[in-house]
């Protein structure tokens, strides 16, 4: 039986923390609740676990039994496992998590379970969790503010922002096809471009005029409801890795813009390049940057099929 959360609302005095929050978690599935500090993730988990009352809504499927785990902070580890630090601290925290997973059944509630763990230790814990979920058909709700946790450990995720779930889907879908500004900003770097539509709402390839830089950009085919009124500003989005830096022939259909390199940031396997196209600030993520330095001019391509039109 899946865990079903329906229209959960919560307020403290006159301040609403959650409004009509809902999602399902199947057996054998890890669902991540993603959001910044203070958006109500922990409150939601306490309501699901029965430790906090709500101001409306229901939790179904919790009769299979609920196990709750919150990774102790490093400063508290000493009181549990004796004085330890560094690798000993990580081993102690990993051991506590593994013991919890080994005993758990039914529904697991995890609040920032891997916070503060180094990447190799975290991956070990994630592997332990994924095996237990698959083998024992556990339903897991995992709250985190770390996008990497969503990508590494979750089958689906629900983005919690401004008291409600703004989008639910697989991590891949949420990253590649966010449908709102809040979703686009949540799981990684994104170029947000304020623009106004030039083409008719029935056009197969919508055309926009950017507010900064006054460029004409084409986007992928978009639902009419997202296009907005002809005199209304909308937000366009494109991930930095989809922005290309060109040196050769011009292809206007690729939204080719002239830009100046303003900053180059080495990121190991990748390089983050910041650019200025007549006031339109963009970021491009490339594997290698050859022959360009700060102050140099180049052509930047924004493929229309990679530009999304977002709802507010």
């Amino acid at each position: 039986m899946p865990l079903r959360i329906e229209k959960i609302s919560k307020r403290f005095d006159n301040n609403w923390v959650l409004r009509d929050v809902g999602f399902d978690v199947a057996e054998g599935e890890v669902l991540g609740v993603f959001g910044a500090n203070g958006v109500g993730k922990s409150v939601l988990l306490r309501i699901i676990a029965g430790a906090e009352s709500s101001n409306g809504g229901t939790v179904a499927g919790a009769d299979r039994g609920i196990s709750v785990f919150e990774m102790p902070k490093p400063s508290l580890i000493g009181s549990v496992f004796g004085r330890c630090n560094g690798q000993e601290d990580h081993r102690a925290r990993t051991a506590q998590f593994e013991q919890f997973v080994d005993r758990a059944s039914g529904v697991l509630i995890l609040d920032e379970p891997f916070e503060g763990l180094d990447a190799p230790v975290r991956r070990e814990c994630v592997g332990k969790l994924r095996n237990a979920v698959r083998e024992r058909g556990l339903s897991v709700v995992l709250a985190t503010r770390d996008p990497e946790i969503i990508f590494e450990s979750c089958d689906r995720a629900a983005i919690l922002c401004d008291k409600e779930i703004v989008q639910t889907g697989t991590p891949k879908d949420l990253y590649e096809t966010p449908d709102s500004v809040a979703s686009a900003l949540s799981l990684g770097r994104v170029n947000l471009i304020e623009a106004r539509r030039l083409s008719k709402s029935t056009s197969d390839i919508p055309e926009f005029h950017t507010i900064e830089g006054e460029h004409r950009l084409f986007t992928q085919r978009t639902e009419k409801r997202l296009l907005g009124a002809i005199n209304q500003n909308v937000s366009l989005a494109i991930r930095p890795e989809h922005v290309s830096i060109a040196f050769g022939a011009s292809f206007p259909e690729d939204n080719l813009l002239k830009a100046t390199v303003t900053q180059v940031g080495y990121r190991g396997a990748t390089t983050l390049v910041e650019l200025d196209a007549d006031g339109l600030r963009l970021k491009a993520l490339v594997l290698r940057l050859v022959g360009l330095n700060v102050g140099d001019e180049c052509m930047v391509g924004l493929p229309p099929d990679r530009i999304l039109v977002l709802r507010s």
Side-chain angles (χ1 to χ4, degrees):
M1 180 179 179
L3 177 69
R4 179 160 295 137
I5 312 303
E6 293 185 335
K7 294 187 175 181
I8 293 293
S9 296
K10 177 66 178 181
R11 71 168 184 264
F12 294 101
D13 297 325
N14 293 323
N15 298 316
W16 288 97
V17 179
L18 304 169
R19 294 297 296 265
D20 295 332
V21 169
F23 50 79
D24 292 348
V25 189
E27 295 182 20
E29 181 180 43
V30 179
L31 182 132
V33 178
F34 179 83
N37 282 339
V39 298
K41 301 188 300 297
S42 295
V43 174
L44 175 61
L45 295 193
R46 289 198 298 271
I47 291 173
I48 296 172
E52 180 95 41
S53 62
S54 69
N55 294 102
T58 60
V59 177
D63 52 352
R64 289 189 288 146
I66 292 182
S67 301
V68 181
F69 179 83
E70 182 176 359
M71 182 68 80
K73 302 297 184 290
S75 60
L76 300 179
I77 282 287
S79 63
V80 179
F81 291 94
R83 297 184 63 186
C84 53
N85 52 60
Q87 290 185 342
E88 291 182 1
D89 175 71
H90 282 182
R91 281 197 296 268
R93 300 176 79 198
T94 302
Q96 189 170 6
F97 180 77
E98 291 181 347
Q99 291 168 13
F100 166 80
V101 171
D102 286 340
R103 294 193 302 265
S105 62
V107 177
L108 274 62
I109 304 296
L110 309 178
D111 195 354
E112 297 286 1
F114 312 124
E115 184 176 17
L117 295 181
D118 288 345
V121 180
R122 184 181 70 222
R123 286 193 288 269
E124 182 181 340
C125 289
V126 168
K128 180 79 172 182
L129 175 65
R130 297 293 302 174
N131 288 338
V133 169
R134 182 176 60 253
E135 293 170 0
R136 306 208 297 273
L138 306 174
S139 298
V140 179
V141 183
L142 184 159
T144 182
R145 63 179 184 276
D146 185 346
E148 289 301 316
I149 300 300
I150 295 295
F151 293 125
E152 288 180 358
S153 62
C154 298
D155 300 294
R156 291 187 303 127
I159 297 175
L160 182 60
C161 180
D162 195 23
K163 309 175 186 65
E164 62 181 4
I165 300 294
V166 296
Q167 191 174 356
T168 302
T170 67
K172 181 176 184 291
D173 288 342
L174 293 177
Y175 183 81
E176 294 187 356
T177 56
D179 64 6
S180 68
V181 171
S183 293
L185 289 170
S186 295
L187 294 183
R189 296 187 184 94
V190 66
N191 293 294
L192 290 180
I193 303 170
E194 190 176 8
R196 188 166 292 186
R197 179 165 52 87
L198 295 174
S199 57
K200 294 181 180 179
S201 60
T202 55
S203 176
D204 285 342
I205 304 179
E207 184 180 8
F208 291 85
H209 181 264
T210 69
I211 303 305
E212 295 179 341
E214 299 185 344
H215 301 286
R216 294 166 73 101
L217 296 181
F218 294 96
T219 71
Q220 61 178 258
R221 190 169 185 175
T222 303
E223 292 182 39
K224 186 175 180 180
R225 64 181 180 86
L226 295 175
L227 292 173
I230 199 78
N231 60 348
Q232 176 186 340
N233 290 0
V234 298
S235 293
L236 311 180
I238 182 169
R239 296 289 184 190
E241 62 268 27
H242 296 149
V243 176
S244 62
I245 299 177
F247 300 94
S250 298
F251 299 95
E253 64 271 21
D254 285 338
N255 294 322
L256 208 65
L257 312 178
K258 187 176 182 180
T260 301
V261 177
T262 60
Q263 190 168 330
V264 176
Y266 180 69
R267 297 289 188 275
T270 60
T271 299
L272 185 67
V273 185
E274 299 188 24
L275 306 124
D276 185 344
D278 292 328
L280 177 62
R281 301 281 181 164
L282 297 168
K283 294 182 180 180
L285 192 66
V286 299
L287 290 177
R288 292 183 64 196
L289 185 67
V290 178
L292 275 182
N293 298 293
V294 173
D296 290 347
E297 292 187 345
C298 61
M299 302 302 293
V300 178
L302 284 68
D305 63 345
R306 295 295 192 174
I307 301 179
L308 302 173
V309 182
L310 305 178
R311 60 184 173 86
S312 300

